[in-house]
Amino acid sequence: MWVGQAVTSERGGMGAAGPVLRRPVAPMLAAPVGVVPEGPGVVHEPKWDGWRVIAFREADRVYLQSRAGRNLTTYFPDVTRAIRSAVPAGVVLDGELVVWVRGQTSFPLLQRRVTAGRGLLRLAYEYPAHVVLFDVLADVGGRVVLDLPLAQRRARLERLVAGAPAALQVTPQTADMAQVSEWLTHWTAVGIEGVVSKRLAGRYQPGRRGWSKFRSRIVTDAVIGGVTGSLRHPESLLLGRYDRRGRLRYTGRSHPLAAEQAVEVGGLLSAPRLAHRGTQAHPWPQPLPASWSGQFDQPEPLRYVPVEPTVVVEIDADVAFEHQRWRHRVRYARARPDMSIYDVPLLLEENDDTSEN
């Protein structure tokens, strides 16, 4: 795994000999946990629904790097302009790119930056992006601060962006569990997926899961419209919900099923009924389009086995439900043979729009 390192340069990158960060840098990551950790020296930050970004303020330019190491710079001229105007040369920042619309984050508008083409500048003007910052990897002049404790890095970060444009904001941080409960209970509607917990004494470890993340989750129901694997031995479930016009719309995919779950579900599934002229009457294309996956990095079309959409299952999902789909994979909980497909909540479009997938 590439991790990015402090490397010695004879010219020091900023005019002085010393260690500098060579991009790409693998961001420090968080391991999922079932409960929010507590204890002395532990602090918590909101987990924002956006794109992770490492921002390099170089001597003559700004470079934006995705979590996977891709160059995002050209897609966010508004962000690069804000960083160039407010952040000193040599600084490397870690944060989350977000776009706000009517008081909440919009993941689809982030994705549109990549496909906007000639409409990019207009899109950036109408829906400007912001960076919610939570760490600093290099200070003024390129001084690497990975080994400093989080408490000191946080203090440096706040000083660096004091008075910066509104596009650059430092994320809230707290040790108060009442505040954490407030975020998880009332802030999910504005774009918080959960909380990330960190140790104030911890150093920044590129590429390592040294933080903890707790996702806000919901228990709900969906209809199986297809599977990967086979009808009798499904590997994962492709899920949907009906809209007001009675069409089954694709809403997401499950994590891989355990062996006993595959047996339970496989015994309930059947192939789609045949329509006129002997063709299968199934509402989804084969394969599923790559764009339906909601992934940023190299999505691919998915071949699957269609099923008759009559089986309802209970699922455990996080709150990242954008563009009428769960962006992350959901967890299968149990089959609901006691429920009809008409008991599953309808898929309601924004502004009650019922356009096709």
Side-chain angles (χ1 to χ4, degrees):
M1 175 184 291
W2 54 274
V3 295
Q5 301 179 42
V7 297
T8 299
S9 168
E10 292 182 358
R11 291 185 295 177
M14 293 295 155
V20 297
L21 281 179
R22 174 181 295 166
R23 54 178 167 85
V25 173
M28 188 168 176
L29 304 174
V33 293
V35 295
V36 179
E38 300 181 61
V42 176
V43 291
H44 313 281
E45 299 168 0
K47 185 183 186 306
W48 296 95
D49 184 19
W51 280 350
R52 187 75 175 273
V53 66
I54 304 291
F56 296 80
R57 174 58 168 100
E58 299 174 350
D60 56 353
R61 61 175 294 192
V62 173
Y63 183 92
L64 303 180
Q65 175 211 302
S66 77
R67 168 175 166 168
R70 291 186 60 177
N71 184 357
L72 298 176
T73 309
T74 57
Y75 305 126
F76 293 92
D78 41 355
V79 170
T80 59
R81 183 168 56 249
I83 294 174
R84 189 166 53 248
S85 69
V87 178
V91 171
V92 180
L93 302 170
D94 191 358
E96 195 88 359
L97 285 165
V98 298
V99 173
W100 293 96
V101 179
R102 295 185 294 275
Q104 65 184 58
T105 60
S106 173
F107 196 81
L109 283 173
L110 278 176
Q111 292 178 306
R112 280 180 57 188
R113 288 295 183 105
V114 178
T115 58
R118 294 182 179 178
L120 175 63
L121 293 181
R122 179 177 179 180
L123 183 65
Y125 175 77
E126 294 179 347
Y127 301 103
H130 300 71
V131 184
V132 184
L133 297 164
F134 46 75
D135 221 319
V136 56
L137 283 62
D139 207 339
V140 180
R143 180 191 173 196
V144 177
V145 294
L146 300 177
D147 289 333
L148 292 182
L150 172 63
Q152 292 185 32
R153 299 199 310 274
R154 171 82 180 197
R156 288 169 184 256
L157 174 63
E158 291 175 346
R159 288 197 299 269
L160 281 169
V161 298
L168 307 178
Q169 297 290 328
V170 178
T171 194
Q173 187 183 85
T174 187
D176 183 358
M177 295 304 294
Q179 179 64 67
V180 171
S181 178
E182 174 76 10
W183 290 341
L184 294 174
T185 305
H186 300 294
W187 284 35
T188 54
V190 305
I192 289 180
E193 299 180 312
V195 295
V196 177
S197 303
K198 307 175 180 179
R199 295 196 172 276
L200 286 172
R203 63 182 294 270
Y204 194 100
Q205 303 175 76
R208 295 185 177 275
R209 294 188 180 273
W211 300 330
S212 301
K213 63 181 176 183
F214 175 85
R215 287 186 181 274
S216 301
R217 305 194 72 84
I218 59 172
V219 176
T220 188
D221 304 301
V223 179
I224 302 177
V227 299
T228 61
S230 67
L231 204 63
R232 289 293 165 251
H233 299 283
E235 296 174 358
S236 67
L237 309 178
L238 307 182
L239 303 167
R241 282 183 171 176
Y242 286 90
D243 63 18
R244 288 187 181 276
R245 297 184 183 180
R247 300 169 302 180
L248 184 69
R249 307 281 294 277
Y250 174 78
T251 54
R253 183 179 177 183
S254 78
H255 286 285
L257 301 177
E260 62 274 14
Q261 293 174 331
V263 171
E264 177 184 44
V265 175
L268 301 173
L269 302 178
S270 58
R273 291 193 297 264
L274 296 181
H276 299 297
R277 300 179 183 175
T279 60
Q280 286 188 344
H282 196 275
W284 300 344
Q286 177 71 273
L288 291 183
S291 60
W292 287 20
S293 71
Q295 301 300 309
F296 172 63
D297 291 302
Q298 299 179 333
E300 296 182 355
L302 177 67
R303 298 204 66 83
Y304 69 101
V305 178
V307 305
E308 183 66 17
T310 57
V311 177
V312 178
V313 293
E314 184 179 287
I315 58 172
D316 177 11
D318 64 35
V319 294
F321 189 75
E322 288 272 8
H323 217 37
Q324 306 307 311
R325 300 186 185 112
W326 286 290
R327 186 153 35 84
H328 306 125
R329 292 199 187 192
V330 305
R331 290 186 173 86
Y332 167 81
R334 57 176 175 152
R336 293 299 305 268
D338 56 316
M339 290 183 62
S340 161
I341 58 174
Y342 303 108
D343 296 324
V344 176
L346 287 176
L347 184 66
L348 301 178
E349 297 279 4
E350 296 178 7
N351 301 321
D352 202 26
D353 175 16
T354 54
S355 60
E356 294 287 350
N357 265 314

